[in-house]
Amino acid sequence: MSRSLNDAYLSQWKIMIKWIRRTHRGLDRADLLFQPVPNVNHIWFNFGHIIVAIDLGPALKGHEPFITKEMHQLFGFGATPPPFAELYPSMEDLHELFEKIWLRNRDIIASINPVEIEEKPMIEIHPAFAALWNTKGRIIEVAPLHASYHNGQSNLIRKMLGKLGPISD
């Protein structure tokens, strides 16, 4: 039995989603905002950044984004994480938005066809990413890698805090 490209994409995405869901368990506000040095991404920032990066509906299908301009300013490319979270959405709101985006992405990834995979994105891509995010398929492939990179940063912070231990499902 062979797997379709959609199945392979979804498998990769499901693993990444599972890892990200586990990252914030058992952490308090101080843990989420811990920065080993100023301007280093803290866990709260990383999670917001991941959410901004994986809102793929606009690029893949021309859907309205779930991410607001304010979220882009707080968590998008070039944003610097402050050591406080007063301007941030709550972690509960971020988790809710994360799940909403994942459900839409899951449906898009499950139904995208081989012709669409080779198409250009439906939105303008930032010049810094244009060569990497040049087709819809590449966006589907690269977005979970980018998210996993930032989630890895968050888990390194967990380890620095002495809270990496076993994370059950």
Side-chain angles (χ1 to χ4, degrees):
M1 176 181 221
S2 65
R3 292 185 340 161
S4 71
L5 186 56
N6 301 69
D7 293 335
Y9 283 157
L10 280 171
S11 177
Q12 178 187 15
W13 273 79
K14 287 176 182 176
I15 292 166
M16 183 261 308
I17 295 296
K18 181 179 178 180
W19 288 345
I20 292 171
R21 284 178 180 147
R22 297 186 313 194
T23 298
H24 311 115
R25 291 188 187 155
L27 299 179
D28 59 30
R29 182 181 182 84
D31 297 334
L32 295 167
L33 293 171
F34 175 74
Q35 291 176 293
V37 295
N39 298 323
V40 168
N41 295 0
H42 48 65
I43 294 172
W44 204 319
F45 178 86
N46 276 333
F47 189 44
H49 182 74
I50 288 167
I51 292 168
V52 168
I54 68 166
D55 187 11
L56 303 185
L60 300 181
K61 293 291 187 178
H63 295 159
E64 285 296 314
F66 287 139
I67 302 302
T68 64
K69 288 181 183 181
E70 293 78 20
M71 290 241 346
H72 269 284
Q73 291 171 345
L74 291 171
F75 301 114
F77 179 69
T80 303
F84 51 84
E86 282 74 20
L87 301 176
Y88 286 174
S90 70
M91 284 299 286
E92 293 80 14
D93 288 346
L94 288 177
H95 275 278
E96 185 177 311
L97 183 57
F98 177 75
E99 295 300 330
K100 184 177 176 180
I101 289 169
W102 159 234
L103 291 176
R104 180 166 76 181
N105 286 351
R106 183 194 63 196
D107 293 345
I108 291 170
I109 294 166
S111 65
I112 199 163
N113 65 55
V115 172
E116 288 177 290
I117 286 172
E118 299 303 325
E119 291 175 350
K120 297 235 178 269
M122 298 185 75
I123 61 170
E124 186 176 338
I125 301 298
H126 190 285
F129 309 108
L132 190 59
W133 289 42
N134 58 351
T135 67
K136 293 177 181 181
R138 289 291 288 180
I139 291 171
I140 292 169
E141 294 163 0
V142 172
L145 298 173
H146 181 82
S148 294
Y149 169 82
H150 286 286
N151 199 56
Q153 289 178 335
S154 293
N155 280 299
L156 177 59
I157 292 171
R158 281 187 73 107
K159 186 171 186 167
M160 292 172 77
L161 292 168
K163 297 186 177 185
L164 188 56
I167 305 171
S168 62
D169 291 328

